[in-house]
Amino acid sequence: MPVVGLLVGGINFTDLKIILKHAVMNGSQVVSPEVSINYGNFIQVTLNFIIIAFAIFLMVKGINSLHRKNAEKPQEPAAVPDDVKLLTEIRDLLKAQEKK
């Protein structure tokens, strides 16, 4: 979050609000409290969610790429059975005899 704070200039949206009705004061005593819509809290929470979701997305993407690299390693071919080797040798010998 500190890096993002530097990018956005340390802006804090939590104090943003629309005042619908001002507080009524009688000296230092509050007769009726202020009525307001605090939309700044919503903006701040939404921005924090987007930043955290993006960071998690990058982590998952990195982990998946590591898994893909491990899965893409070429596997050694299975050993050829003895009977297939023998048949291959016979085939090659027959081809060699036909050429003579």
Side-chain angles (χ1 to χ4, degrees):
M1 295 303 267
V3 174
V4 176
L6 288 174
L7 291 175
V8 294
I11 298 173
N12 190 0
F13 295 107
T14 56
D15 296 332
L16 298 176
K17 60 185 169 183
I18 297 174
I19 299 174
L20 301 175
K21 181 180 174 188
H22 290 281
V24 177
M25 304 289 286
N26 186 7
S28 65
Q29 187 179 18
V30 177
V31 176
S32 68
E34 176 182 80
V35 178
S36 63
I37 299 174
N38 297 329
Y39 67 93
N41 287 334
F42 175 74
I43 293 171
Q44 188 68 41
V45 169
T46 304
L47 184 65
N48 288 342
F49 173 77
I50 290 171
I51 292 167
I52 292 170
F54 183 69
I56 292 173
F57 168 75
L58 290 178
M59 286 182 4
V60 169
K61 189 174 178 180
I63 290 170
N64 283 340
S65 68
L66 288 176
H67 283 295
R68 250 184 261 122
K69 285 181 183 177
N70 290 339
E72 290 177 1
K73 288 183 180 176
Q75 298 178 358
E76 294 180 16
V80 180
D82 290 335
D83 57 345
V84 174
K85 285 182 186 177
L86 184 60
L87 289 171
T88 306
E89 289 175 11
I90 294 171
R91 181 197 64 201
D92 294 341
L93 289 172
L94 288 173
K95 283 184 183 179
Q97 284 181 356
E98 288 176 4
K99 289 182 182 178
K100 288 184 182 180

